[in-house]
Amino acid sequence: MLIDKGAIVYHYLRTKFRQWPASRQGVVQWQEERVRSHVRFVRKHSAFYRELWKDYTDAQWRQFPIIDKELMMEHFDPLNTVGITKEEAFAVAYQAENSRDFAPTIGSITVGLSSGTSGNRGIFLVSPQERRAWAGTVLAKMLPNSLLQKESIAFFLRANSNLYGSVGSNRLQFHYYDLLSPVQEHIERLNGQRPGLIVAPPSMLRILAQARQQGHLQIHPHKIISVAEVLDPLDRKEIETQFEQRVHQVYQCTEGFLACTCSHGTLHLNEDIVIIEKDYLDQKLGRFVPIITDFSRRTQPIVRYRLNDVLTERAEPCPCGSPFLAIESIEGRCDDIFYGYSLHDNRLKPIFPDFISRAIIHASEQVLEYLAIQHTPDRVEIFLRIDEAGSRSAQIEEHITHAMNDLFLKINCKPPAIEFNVYEQDIYARYDKQGELTELKKLRRVERRFQLGEDTDPFV
């Protein structure tokens, strides 16, 4: 345990006080050296990558074939470098999910299960060394004060993990809150714990913000961090209003600790541990899909791995002066890009989630929560929770319809038929026959529920 804590402090100090080159080119050169060294290790220890890269030199790593979650899970056994099979990894992960006891490992290797928002669940493996490095890096980037100061942290997760448990110490009181537990229990625990730092998905932060507004939650944290879901502008505004502070973000997934906010609230890619290549969807608007290479992970190597997320790069430099790439927003998944029929040739044209969100939010200040679902290119369903003290719902629906029609026409697409329904608080919850909460799916404000044809070019 002493070794664990010492290693965490080492990575904390290295991340916190490392001096970076002043130029962007200096950062890129530093990354290049580490990636080539990482590739040499992976090629030696992973049979899958060794075969995949057989026609390339280490210096040609940017030309390596791109992989994704489906390919990684298909070749899980020869891909990882510690000899763990997919079958035994899933067995341990599912047992932990069902028992809610997340302590078991395979040997010393932590096993985690992704939430499966994209339709297929994934496994991730993390060694003790990687766990300690992750903990030190996260603490250096996200703790509001020094590591020497006492801090009480409330962490809301769908599933706990040894990965997160690495953070705990005498000074850092780490409290895991299971998202499947009743909200009332959370509120009572929070009132007793009085955490200074809350880490939770935006959907839970909204619930806590509402509880604080109603006087049930009586805590005053000095930092709030949004994780796991896209932070919608509407949710951000409500959370910041009720807690009277800026909401920070961590962009992390099965594939790595990818980005976090600086003191100015700007998301920066963690380019000290990952390289992000940009597969542009719209270069003029700065929208791209990230292709990640994590040169800090050896147990389950992530090299030229294409995510399914849509990111928008920031046009202006961040005042914090960080040399790491600044991100304006994480819009959501590629699967949630809306499509409309072109007025010219009836072909499908993309409409990014951010445009849909803004059309709904800006149509009326009385919109408290929403969910927009595109069932077909010409049919959209919008669920709304509105401020009853404001305009009548019919007026708000009319304003939103006009805003959506204007958006589609501006992109030269046929406006869809729009159906409105009432937004229910537990729209993403699943219960068993006894009324017990069994599943809490990730919140997605903009969601597409039809598949594109194989012959459709999604970004014409």
Side-chain angles (χ1 to χ4, degrees), residues 319-357:
C320 77
S322 170
F324 298 157
L325 184 68
I327 299 298
E328 186 67 37
S329 65
I330 302 168
E331 290 197 31
R333 305 184 307 125
C334 292
D335 293 347
D336 289 331
I337 294 175
F338 277 29
Y339 285 86
Y341 287 120
S342 170
L343 290 169
H344 301 304
D345 56 16
N346 217 40
R347 297 178 71 182
L348 291 177
K349 297 182 64 175
I351 305 170
F352 291 102
D354 182 57
F355 291 143
I356 304 298
S357 296

Side-chain angles (χ1 to χ4, degrees), residues 18-24 27 261-269 271 314 316-326:
R18 174 181 279 158
Q19 296 296 312
W20 288 100
S23 69
R24 178 68 190 171
V27 173
T261 47
C262 65
S263 59
H264 291 265
T266 302
L267 265 173
H268 292 273
L269 296 177
E271 294 186 286
R314 182 181 166 113
E316 301 296 326
C318 179
C320 77
S322 170
F324 298 157
L325 184 68

